[in-house]
Amino acid sequence: VTDRGALPLVMLRDRHAGPHTPQVAADKAYTALSFKIETLALEAVTRTEPAMAGIRHVPRVVAVGGGVPIASAGSQVGSIGVSGAPGGAADEECA
């Protein structure tokens, strides 16, 4: 979970999660915050719109489900990133 500046506030990791999952989750949260869109939706847009495909090559951008922006009273206040479930859709459902 991040604040509105994409700085980590909380990280939980299951002892069976792979060593890559904390960084991937943080990058999904960063992506959701940066683009103000769920990463599953960003994945679809970058796959179907050739002009958007280059976004996938920006450092820290993860266009895979599991990142969700958090809003309150119409303002973006943070984001959440989840990694480790079998697939981005399951990560996003968990988020």
Side-chain angles (χ1 to χ4, degrees):
V1 177
T2 72
D3 65 12
R4 72 183 78 223
L7 296 174
L9 294 172
V10 176
M11 193 275 292
L12 298 173
R13 182 182 167 274
D14 185 271
R15 68 177 186 263
H16 299 295
H20 66 286
T21 58
Q23 185 63 52
V24 172
D27 289 348
K28 288 180 181 183
Y30 172 86
T31 302
L33 186 95
S34 294
F35 293 97
K36 299 177 178 72
I37 187 174
E38 292 82 5
T39 55
L40 194 60
L42 185 65
E43 175 185 11
V45 169
T46 60
R47 192 173 348 107
T48 59
E49 299 289 332
M52 299 292 287
I55 289 172
R56 292 174 170 256
H57 302 289
V58 175
R60 294 200 64 195
V61 171
V62 179
V64 176
V68 177
I70 301 170
S72 176
S75 295
Q76 191 160 347
V77 296
S79 61
I80 184 168
V82 175
S83 179
D91 284 341
E92 191 134 330
E93 185 177 333
C94 182

Coordinates of all heavy atoms in Angstrom, one line a residue:
V1 N 0.9 -1.2 0.0 CA 0.0 0.0 0.0 C 0.9 1.2 0.0 O 1.9 1.3 0.8 CB -0.9 0.0 1.2 CG1 -1.8 1.3 1.3 CG2 -1.8 -1.2 1.3
T2 N 0.6 2.2 -0.9 CA 1.4 3.4 -0.9 C 0.6 4.6 -0.6 O -0.7 4.6 -0.6 CB 1.9 3.6 -2.4 OG1 0.9 4.1 -3.2 CG2 2.6 2.4 -2.9
D3 N 1.3 5.7 -0.3 CA 0.6 7.0 -0.2 C 0.4 7.7 -1.5 O 0.8 7.1 -2.6 CB 1.3 7.9 0.8 CG 2.7 8.3 0.4 OD1 3.1 8.1 -0.8 OD2 3.5 8.8 1.2
R4 N 0.0 8.9 -1.6 CA -0.3 9.6 -2.8 C 1.0 9.9 -3.6 O 0.9 10.2 -4.8 CB -1.1 10.8 -2.6 CG -0.4 12.0 -1.9 CD -1.2 13.2 -1.7 NE -2.1 12.9 -0.5 CZ -3.3 13.2 -0.4 NH1 -4.0 13.8 -1.3 NH2 -4.0 12.9 0.7
G5 N 2.1 9.8 -3.0 CA 3.4 10.0 -3.6 C 4.1 8.7 -4.0 O 5.3 8.7 -4.4
A6 N 3.4 7.6 -4.0 CA 3.9 6.3 -4.3 C 4.9 5.8 -3.3 O 5.7 4.8 -3.6 CB 4.4 6.2 -5.7
L7 N 5.0 6.4 -2.1 CA 5.9 5.9 -1.1 C 5.2 4.7 -0.3 O 4.1 4.9 0.1 CB 6.3 7.0 -0.2 CG 7.1 8.1 -0.8 CD1 7.4 9.2 0.2 CD2 8.4 7.6 -1.4
P8 N 5.9 3.6 -0.1 CA 5.3 2.5 0.6 C 4.9 2.8 2.0 O 5.7 3.5 2.7 CB 6.4 1.4 0.6 CG 7.4 1.9 -0.4 CD 7.3 3.4 -0.5
L9 N 3.7 2.4 2.4 CA 3.2 2.6 3.8 C 3.2 1.2 4.5 O 3.6 1.1 5.6 CB 1.8 3.1 3.7 CG 1.7 4.6 3.2 CD1 0.2 4.9 3.1 CD2 2.4 5.5 4.2
V10 N 2.8 0.2 3.8 CA 2.6 -1.2 4.4 C 3.0 -2.2 3.3 O 2.6 -2.1 2.2 CB 1.2 -1.4 4.8 CG1 1.0 -2.8 5.4 CG2 0.8 -0.4 5.9
M11 N 3.7 -3.3 3.8 CA 4.0 -4.4 2.9 C 3.8 -5.7 3.7 O 4.4 -5.8 4.8 CB 5.4 -4.3 2.3 CG 5.7 -5.3 1.2 SD 6.1 -7.0 1.6 CE 7.7 -6.8 2.3
L12 N 3.0 -6.5 3.2 CA 2.8 -7.9 3.8 C 3.2 -8.9 2.8 O 2.9 -8.8 1.7 CB 1.3 -8.1 4.2 CG 0.7 -7.1 5.2 CD1 -0.8 -7.4 5.4 CD2 1.4 -7.3 6.6
R13 N 3.9 -9.9 3.3 CA 4.4 -11.0 2.4 C 4.2 -12.3 3.1 O 4.6 -12.5 4.2 CB 5.8 -10.8 2.1 CG 6.4 -11.8 1.1 CD 7.9 -11.6 0.9 NE 8.4 -12.7 0.2 CZ 8.9 -13.8 0.8 NH1 8.9 -13.9 2.1 NH2 9.4 -14.8 0.1
D14 N 3.5 -13.2 2.4 CA 3.4 -14.6 2.9 C 4.7 -15.3 2.9 O 5.5 -15.1 1.9 CB 2.3 -15.3 2.0 CG 2.1 -16.7 2.6 OD1 2.8 -17.7 2.2 OD2 1.1 -16.9 3.4
R15 N 5.0 -16.1 3.8 CA 6.3 -16.8 3.8 C 6.5 -17.7 2.6 O 7.7 -18.0 2.3 CB 6.5 -17.6 5.2 CG 5.6 -18.8 5.3 CD 5.8 -19.5 6.6 NE 5.1 -20.7 6.6 CZ 3.9 -20.9 7.3 NH1 3.4 -19.8 7.9 NH2 3.3 -22.0 7.3
H16 N 5.5 -18.1 1.9 CA 5.6 -18.9 0.8 C 5.7 -18.1 -0.6 O 5.9 -18.7 -1.6 CB 4.5 -19.9 0.7 CG 4.4 -20.8 1.9 ND1 5.4 -21.8 2.2 CD2 3.5 -21.0 2.8 CE1 5.1 -22.4 3.3 NE2 3.9 -21.9 3.7
A17 N 5.6 -16.8 -0.5 CA 5.6 -16.0 -1.7 C 7.0 -16.0 -2.2 O 8.0 -16.0 -1.5 CB 5.1 -14.6 -1.4
G18 N 7.2 -15.9 -3.5 CA 8.5 -15.8 -4.2 C 9.2 -14.5 -3.8 O 8.6 -13.5 -3.4
P19 N 10.5 -14.5 -3.9 CA 11.3 -13.4 -3.5 C 11.0 -12.1 -4.4 O 11.3 -11.0 -4.0 CB 12.7 -13.8 -3.7 CG 12.7 -15.0 -4.6 CD 11.4 -15.6 -4.4
H20 N 10.5 -12.3 -5.6 CA 10.2 -11.2 -6.5 C 8.9 -10.5 -6.2 O 8.7 -9.3 -6.6 CB 10.1 -11.7 -8.0 CG 8.9 -12.6 -8.1 ND1 8.9 -13.9 -7.7 CD2 7.7 -12.4 -8.7 CE1 7.7 -14.5 -7.9 NE2 7.0 -13.6 -8.6
T21 N 8.0 -11.1 -5.4 CA 6.7 -10.5 -5.2 C 6.7 -9.1 -4.5 O 5.8 -8.3 -4.9 CB 5.8 -11.5 -4.5 OG1 6.3 -11.9 -3.2 CG2 5.5 -12.8 -5.3
P22 N 7.5 -8.8 -3.5 CA 7.4 -7.5 -2.9 C 7.7 -6.4 -4.0 O 7.0 -5.4 -4.0 CB 8.5 -7.5 -1.8 CG 8.6 -8.9 -1.4 CD 8.4 -9.7 -2.7
Q23 N 8.7 -6.6 -4.8 CA 9.1 -5.5 -5.8 C 8.0 -5.4 -6.9 O 7.6 -4.3 -7.2 CB 10.4 -5.8 -6.4 CG 10.9 -4.7 -7.4 CD 11.1 -3.4 -6.6 OE1 11.8 -3.3 -5.6 NE2 10.4 -2.3 -7.1
V24 N 7.5 -6.6 -7.3 CA 6.4 -6.5 -8.3 C 5.2 -5.9 -7.8 O 4.5 -5.0 -8.5 CB 6.1 -8.0 -8.9 CG1 4.9 -8.0 -9.8 CG2 7.3 -8.5 -9.6
A25 N 4.8 -6.2 -6.6 CA 3.6 -5.5 -5.9 C 3.8 -4.0 -5.8 O 2.9 -3.3 -6.1 CB 3.3 -6.2 -4.6
A26 N 5.0 -3.6 -5.4 CA 5.3 -2.2 -5.2 C 5.2 -1.5 -6.6 O 4.7 -0.4 -6.7 CB 6.7 -2.0 -4.6
D27 N 5.7 -2.2 -7.6 CA 5.7 -1.6 -9.0 C 4.3 -1.5 -9.5 O 3.9 -0.6 -10.3 CB 6.6 -2.3 -9.9 CG 8.1 -2.0 -9.6 OD1 8.4 -1.1 -8.8 OD2 9.0 -2.7 -10.1
K28 N 3.4 -2.5 -9.2 CA 2.0 -2.5 -9.6 C 1.3 -1.3 -8.9 O 0.5 -0.6 -9.6 CB 1.3 -3.8 -9.3 CG 1.7 -4.9 -10.2 CD 1.0 -6.2 -9.8 CE 1.4 -7.4 -10.6 NZ 0.6 -8.6 -10.2
A29 N 1.6 -1.1 -7.7 CA 1.0 0.0 -6.9 C 1.5 1.4 -7.6 O 0.7 2.3 -7.8 CB 1.4 0.0 -5.5
Y30 N 2.8 1.5 -7.9 CA 3.3 2.7 -8.5 C 2.6 2.9 -9.8 O 2.3 4.1 -10.2 CB 4.8 2.5 -8.7 CG 5.5 3.5 -9.5 CD1 6.0 4.7 -9.0 CD2 5.7 3.3 -10.9 CE1 6.6 5.6 -9.7 CE2 6.3 4.3 -11.7 CZ 6.8 5.4 -11.1 OH 7.4 6.4 -11.8
T31 N 2.4 1.9 -10.6 CA 1.8 2.0 -11.9 C 0.3 2.5 -11.8 O -0.1 3.4 -12.5 CB 1.8 0.7 -12.7 OG1 3.2 0.2 -12.8 CG2 1.2 0.7 -14.1
A32 N -0.4 1.9 -10.9 CA -1.8 2.3 -10.7 C -1.9 3.7 -10.3 O -2.8 4.5 -10.7 CB -2.5 1.4 -9.7
L33 N -1.0 4.1 -9.4 CA -1.0 5.5 -8.9 C -0.6 6.5 -10.1 O -1.2 7.5 -10.3 CB 0.0 5.7 -7.8 CG 0.0 7.0 -7.1 CD1 -1.0 7.0 -5.9 CD2 1.3 7.5 -6.7
S34 N 0.4 6.1 -10.8 CA 0.9 7.0 -11.9 C -0.1 7.2 -13.0 O -0.2 8.3 -13.5 CB 2.2 6.4 -12.5 OG 3.2 6.4 -11.6
F35 N -0.8 6.2 -13.4 CA -1.7 6.3 -14.5 C -3.2 6.4 -14.1 O -4.1 6.6 -14.9 CB -1.5 5.0 -15.4 CG -0.2 5.0 -16.1 CD1 0.8 4.3 -15.6 CD2 0.0 5.8 -17.2 CE1 2.1 4.3 -16.2 CE2 1.2 5.8 -17.9 CZ 2.3 5.0 -17.3
K36 N -3.4 6.3 -12.7 CA -4.8 6.5 -12.2 C -5.7 5.5 -12.8 O -6.9 5.9 -13.1 CB -5.3 7.9 -12.4 CG -4.4 9.0 -11.6 CD -4.9 10.4 -11.9 CE -4.1 11.4 -11.2 NZ -2.7 11.6 -11.7
I37 N -5.3 4.3 -12.9 CA -6.1 3.2 -13.6 C -5.6 1.9 -13.0 O -4.5 1.7 -12.6 CB -5.9 3.2 -15.1 CG1 -6.9 2.3 -15.8 CG2 -4.5 3.0 -15.5 CD1 -6.8 2.4 -17.3
E38 N -6.6 0.9 -12.9 CA -6.2 -0.4 -12.5 C -5.2 -1.0 -13.5 O -5.4 -0.8 -14.7 CB -7.4 -1.3 -12.4 CG -8.4 -0.9 -11.2 CD -9.3 0.2 -11.6 OE1 -9.3 0.7 -12.8 OE2 -10.1 0.6 -10.7
T39 N -4.3 -1.7 -13.0 CA -3.2 -2.3 -13.9 C -3.8 -3.3 -14.9 O -3.3 -3.5 -15.9 CB -2.0 -2.8 -13.2 OG1 -2.4 -3.8 -12.2 CG2 -1.3 -1.7 -12.5
L40 N -4.9 -4.0 -14.5 CA -5.5 -5.0 -15.4 C -6.1 -4.2 -16.6 O -6.0 -4.7 -17.7 CB -6.6 -5.8 -14.7 CG -7.1 -7.0 -15.4 CD1 -6.0 -8.0 -15.6 CD2 -8.2 -7.6 -14.5
A41 N -6.7 -3.0 -16.4 CA -7.2 -2.2 -17.5 C -6.0 -1.7 -18.3 O -6.1 -1.6 -19.5 CB -8.0 -1.1 -16.9
L42 N -4.9 -1.3 -17.7 CA -3.8 -0.8 -18.4 C -3.2 -1.9 -19.3 O -2.8 -1.7 -20.4 CB -2.7 -0.3 -17.4 CG -1.5 0.4 -18.1 CD1 -1.9 1.6 -18.9 CD2 -0.5 0.7 -17.0
E43 N -3.2 -3.1 -18.7 CA -2.7 -4.3 -19.5 C -3.5 -4.4 -20.8 O -2.9 -4.6 -21.9 CB -2.8 -5.6 -18.7 CG -2.5 -6.8 -19.5 CD -2.7 -8.1 -18.7 OE1 -3.4 -8.1 -17.6 OE2 -2.3 -9.1 -19.1
A44 N -4.8 -4.3 -20.7 CA -5.7 -4.5 -21.9 C -5.4 -3.3 -22.9 O -5.3 -3.6 -24.1 CB -7.1 -4.5 -21.5
V45 N -5.3 -2.1 -22.4 CA -5.1 -1.0 -23.3 C -3.7 -1.1 -24.0 O -3.6 -0.8 -25.2 CB -5.2 0.4 -22.5 CG1 -4.7 1.5 -23.3 CG2 -6.6 0.6 -22.0
T46 N -2.7 -1.4 -23.3 CA -1.4 -1.5 -23.9 C -1.2 -2.7 -24.8 O -0.3 -2.8 -25.6 CB -0.3 -1.5 -22.8 OG1 -0.4 -2.7 -22.0 CG2 -0.3 -0.3 -22.0
R47 N -2.1 -3.7 -24.7 CA -2.1 -4.8 -25.6 C -2.9 -4.6 -26.9 O -2.5 -5.0 -27.9 CB -2.7 -6.1 -24.9 CG -2.4 -7.3 -25.6 CD -2.9 -8.6 -24.9 NE -3.2 -8.5 -23.5 CZ -4.4 -8.5 -23.0 NH1 -5.5 -8.7 -23.8 NH2 -4.7 -8.4 -21.7
T48 N -4.0 -3.8 -26.8 CA -4.8 -3.6 -27.9 C -4.6 -2.3 -28.7 O -5.0 -2.2 -29.8 CB -6.3 -3.6 -27.5 OG1 -6.6 -2.6 -26.6 CG2 -6.7 -5.0 -26.9
E49 N -3.9 -1.3 -28.1 CA -3.7 0.0 -28.7 C -2.2 0.1 -29.0 O -1.4 0.3 -28.0 CB -4.1 1.1 -27.8 CG -5.6 1.1 -27.5 CD -6.4 1.5 -28.7 OE1 -5.9 2.3 -29.5 OE2 -7.5 1.1 -28.7
P50 N -1.7 -0.1 -30.2 CA -0.3 -0.1 -30.5 C 0.4 1.2 -30.0 O 1.6 1.1 -29.6 CB -0.2 -0.1 -32.0 CG -1.5 -0.8 -32.4 CD -2.5 -0.4 -31.4
A51 N -0.3 2.3 -30.1 CA 0.3 3.6 -29.6 C 0.6 3.6 -28.1 O 1.5 4.3 -27.6 CB -0.5 4.8 -29.9
M52 N 0.0 2.7 -27.3 CA 0.1 2.7 -25.9 C 1.1 1.6 -25.5 O 1.5 1.5 -24.3 CB -1.2 2.4 -25.2 CG -2.2 3.4 -25.5 SD -1.8 5.0 -24.7 CE -2.1 4.6 -23.0
A53 N 1.6 0.7 -26.4 CA 2.4 -0.4 -26.1 C 3.8 0.0 -25.5 O 4.3 -0.7 -24.6 CB 2.6 -1.3 -27.3
G54 N 4.3 1.2 -25.9 CA 5.6 1.6 -25.4 C 5.6 1.9 -23.9 O 6.7 1.8 -23.2
I55 N 4.4 2.1 -23.3 CA 4.4 2.4 -21.8 C 4.9 1.2 -21.1 O 5.5 1.3 -20.0 CB 2.9 2.6 -21.4 CG1 2.5 4.0 -21.9 CG2 2.7 2.5 -19.9 CD1 1.0 4.3 -21.7
R56 N 4.8 0.0 -21.6 CA 5.3 -1.2 -20.9 C 6.8 -1.2 -20.7 O 7.4 -2.0 -20.0 CB 4.9 -2.5 -21.7 CG 3.5 -2.7 -21.7 CD 3.1 -3.9 -22.7 NE 1.8 -4.3 -22.5 CZ 1.4 -5.4 -21.8 NH1 2.3 -6.2 -21.3 NH2 0.1 -5.7 -21.7
H57 N 7.5 -0.3 -21.4 CA 9.0 -0.3 -21.3 C 9.5 0.8 -20.4 O 10.7 1.0 -20.2 CB 9.6 -0.1 -22.7 CG 9.2 -1.2 -23.7 ND1 9.7 -2.5 -23.6 CD2 8.3 -1.2 -24.7 CE1 9.1 -3.2 -24.5 NE2 8.3 -2.4 -25.2
V58 N 8.6 1.5 -19.8 CA 9.0 2.6 -18.8 C 9.4 1.9 -17.5 O 8.7 1.0 -17.0 CB 7.8 3.6 -18.6 CG1 8.1 4.6 -17.5 CG2 7.4 4.3 -19.9
P59 N 10.5 2.3 -16.9 CA 10.9 1.6 -15.6 C 9.8 1.7 -14.6 O 9.1 2.7 -14.4 CB 12.1 2.4 -15.2 CG 12.7 3.0 -16.5 CD 11.5 3.3 -17.3
R60 N 9.6 0.6 -13.9 CA 8.7 0.4 -12.8 C 7.2 0.3 -13.2 O 6.4 0.0 -12.4 CB 8.7 1.6 -11.7 CG 10.1 1.6 -11.0 CD 10.0 2.3 -9.7 NE 9.0 1.7 -8.8 CZ 8.5 2.3 -7.7 NH1 8.9 3.5 -7.4 NH2 7.7 1.6 -6.9
V61 N 6.9 0.4 -14.5 CA 5.6 0.2 -15.0 C 5.3 -1.3 -15.2 O 6.1 -2.0 -15.9 CB 5.3 1.0 -16.3 CG1 4.0 0.6 -16.9 CG2 5.3 2.5 -16.0
V62 N 4.3 -1.8 -14.5 CA 3.9 -3.2 -14.6 C 2.5 -3.2 -15.1 O 1.6 -3.0 -14.4 CB 4.1 -3.9 -13.3 CG1 3.6 -5.4 -13.4 CG2 5.5 -3.9 -12.8
A63 N 2.3 -3.6 -16.4 CA 1.0 -3.6 -17.0 C 0.4 -5.1 -16.9 O 0.2 -5.8 -17.9 CB 1.0 -3.2 -18.5
V64 N 0.2 -5.5 -15.7 CA -0.3 -6.8 -15.3 C -1.3 -6.6 -14.1 O -1.0 -5.7 -13.3 CB 0.8 -7.8 -14.9 CG1 0.2 -9.1 -14.5 CG2 1.8 -8.0 -16.0
G65 N -2.4 -7.2 -14.1 CA -3.3 -7.0 -13.0 C -2.8 -7.1 -11.6 O -1.8 -7.9 -11.4
G66 N -3.3 -6.4 -10.7 CA -2.9 -6.4 -9.3 C -2.6 -5.1 -8.7 O -2.4 -5.0 -7.5
G67 N -2.7 -4.0 -9.5 CA -2.5 -2.7 -9.0 C -3.8 -1.9 -9.1 O -4.4 -1.9 -10.1
V68 N -4.1 -1.2 -8.0 CA -5.4 -0.5 -7.9 C -5.2 0.8 -7.2 O -4.6 0.9 -6.1 CB -6.5 -1.3 -7.1 CG1 -7.8 -0.6 -7.0 CG2 -6.7 -2.7 -7.8
P69 N -5.6 1.9 -7.9 CA -5.5 3.2 -7.2 C -6.6 3.3 -6.1 O -7.6 2.7 -6.1 CB -5.8 4.2 -8.3 CG -6.5 3.5 -9.4 CD -6.2 2.0 -9.2
I70 N -6.3 4.1 -5.1 CA -7.2 4.3 -3.9 C -7.6 5.8 -3.9 O -6.7 6.6 -3.9 CB -6.5 3.9 -2.6 CG1 -6.0 2.5 -2.6 CG2 -7.4 4.2 -1.4 CD1 -5.1 2.1 -1.4
A71 N -8.9 6.0 -3.9 CA -9.4 7.4 -3.9 C -10.3 7.6 -2.7 O -10.9 6.6 -2.2 CB -10.2 7.7 -5.2
S72 N -10.4 8.8 -2.3 CA -11.3 9.2 -1.2 C -11.8 10.6 -1.5 O -11.0 11.5 -1.8 CB -10.5 9.2 0.1 OG -11.4 9.6 1.2
A73 N -13.1 10.7 -1.4 CA -13.7 12.0 -1.7 C -13.3 12.6 -3.0 O -13.1 13.8 -3.1 CB -13.5 13.0 -0.6
G74 N -13.1 11.8 -4.0 CA -12.7 12.2 -5.3 C -11.3 12.5 -5.6 O -10.9 12.9 -6.7
S75 N -10.4 12.3 -4.6 CA -9.0 12.6 -4.7 C -8.2 11.3 -4.5 O -8.6 10.4 -3.7 CB -8.5 13.5 -3.6 OG -9.1 14.8 -3.8
Q76 N -7.2 11.1 -5.3 CA -6.3 9.9 -5.2 C -5.5 10.1 -4.0 O -4.8 11.1 -3.8 CB -5.5 9.8 -6.5 CG -4.8 8.4 -6.5 CD -4.3 8.1 -7.9 OE1 -4.7 8.7 -8.9 NE2 -3.5 7.1 -8.0
V77 N -5.5 9.1 -3.1 CA -4.8 9.1 -1.8 C -3.7 8.1 -1.7 O -2.9 8.1 -0.8 CB -5.8 9.0 -0.6 CG1 -6.7 10.2 -0.6 CG2 -6.5 7.7 -0.6
G78 N -3.7 7.1 -2.7 CA -2.7 6.1 -2.6 C -3.0 5.0 -3.6 O -3.8 5.2 -4.6
S79 N -2.4 3.8 -3.4 CA -2.6 2.7 -4.3 C -2.2 1.4 -3.5 O -1.6 1.5 -2.5 CB -1.8 2.8 -5.6 OG -0.4 2.9 -5.3
I80 N -2.7 0.3 -4.1 CA -2.3 -1.0 -3.6 C -1.8 -1.9 -4.7 O -2.3 -1.8 -5.8 CB -3.5 -1.6 -2.9 CG1 -3.1 -3.0 -2.2 CG2 -4.7 -1.8 -3.8 CD1 -4.2 -3.5 -1.2
G81 N -0.8 -2.7 -4.4 CA -0.3 -3.6 -5.4 C -0.2 -5.0 -4.8 O 0.2 -5.1 -3.6
V82 N -0.7 -6.0 -5.5 CA -0.7 -7.4 -5.0 C 0.1 -8.2 -6.1 O -0.2 -8.1 -7.3 CB -2.1 -7.9 -4.8 CG1 -2.1 -9.4 -4.5 CG2 -2.8 -7.1 -3.8
S83 N 0.9 -9.1 -5.6 CA 1.6 -10.0 -6.5 C 1.7 -11.4 -5.8 O 1.9 -11.4 -4.6 CB 3.0 -9.5 -6.8 OG 3.7 -10.4 -7.6
G84 N 1.7 -12.4 -6.5 CA 1.9 -13.8 -6.0 C 0.7 -14.7 -6.2 O 0.9 -15.9 -6.1
A85 N -0.4 -14.2 -6.6 CA -1.6 -15.1 -6.9 C -1.3 -15.7 -8.3 O -0.5 -15.2 -9.0 CB -2.9 -14.4 -6.9
P86 N -2.0 -16.8 -8.6 CA -1.8 -17.3 -10.0 C -2.5 -16.5 -11.0 O -3.6 -16.8 -11.5 CB -2.4 -18.7 -9.9 CG -3.4 -18.7 -8.8 CD -2.9 -17.6 -7.8
G87 N -1.8 -15.4 -11.4 CA -2.3 -14.6 -12.5 C -2.7 -13.2 -12.0 O -3.1 -13.0 -10.9
G88 N -2.6 -12.2 -13.0 CA -2.9 -10.9 -12.6 C -4.4 -10.6 -12.2 O -4.6 -9.8 -11.4
A89 N -5.3 -11.3 -12.9 CA -6.7 -11.2 -12.5 C -6.9 -11.5 -11.0 O -7.7 -10.8 -10.3 CB -7.6 -12.0 -13.4
A90 N -6.3 -12.6 -10.6 CA -6.4 -13.0 -9.2 C -5.8 -12.0 -8.3 O -6.3 -11.7 -7.2 CB -5.9 -14.4 -9.0
D91 N -4.6 -11.5 -8.7 CA -4.0 -10.4 -7.9 C -4.9 -9.2 -7.7 O -5.0 -8.6 -6.7 CB -2.6 -10.0 -8.5 CG -1.5 -11.0 -8.3 OD1 -1.6 -11.8 -7.4 OD2 -0.5 -10.9 -9.1
E92 N -5.5 -8.8 -8.9 CA -6.4 -7.6 -8.8 C -7.6 -7.9 -8.0 O -8.0 -7.0 -7.2 CB -6.8 -7.2 -10.2 CG -7.4 -5.9 -10.3 CD -6.9 -5.0 -11.4 OE1 -5.7 -5.1 -11.8 OE2 -7.7 -4.2 -11.8
E93 N -8.2 -9.1 -8.0 CA -9.3 -9.4 -7.2 C -8.9 -9.3 -5.7 O -9.7 -8.7 -4.9 CB -9.8 -10.8 -7.5 CG -11.1 -11.1 -6.7 CD -11.7 -12.5 -7.1 OE1 -11.4 -12.9 -8.3 OE2 -12.3 -13.1 -6.3
C94 N -7.7 -9.7 -5.4 CA -7.3 -9.6 -4.0 C -7.1 -8.2 -3.6 O -7.4 -7.8 -2.5 CB -5.9 -10.4 -3.9 SG -5.3 -10.4 -2.2
A95 N -6.5 -7.4 -4.5 CA -6.3 -5.9 -4.2 C -7.6 -5.3 -4.0 O -7.8 -4.4 -3.1 CB -5.6 -5.3 -5.4

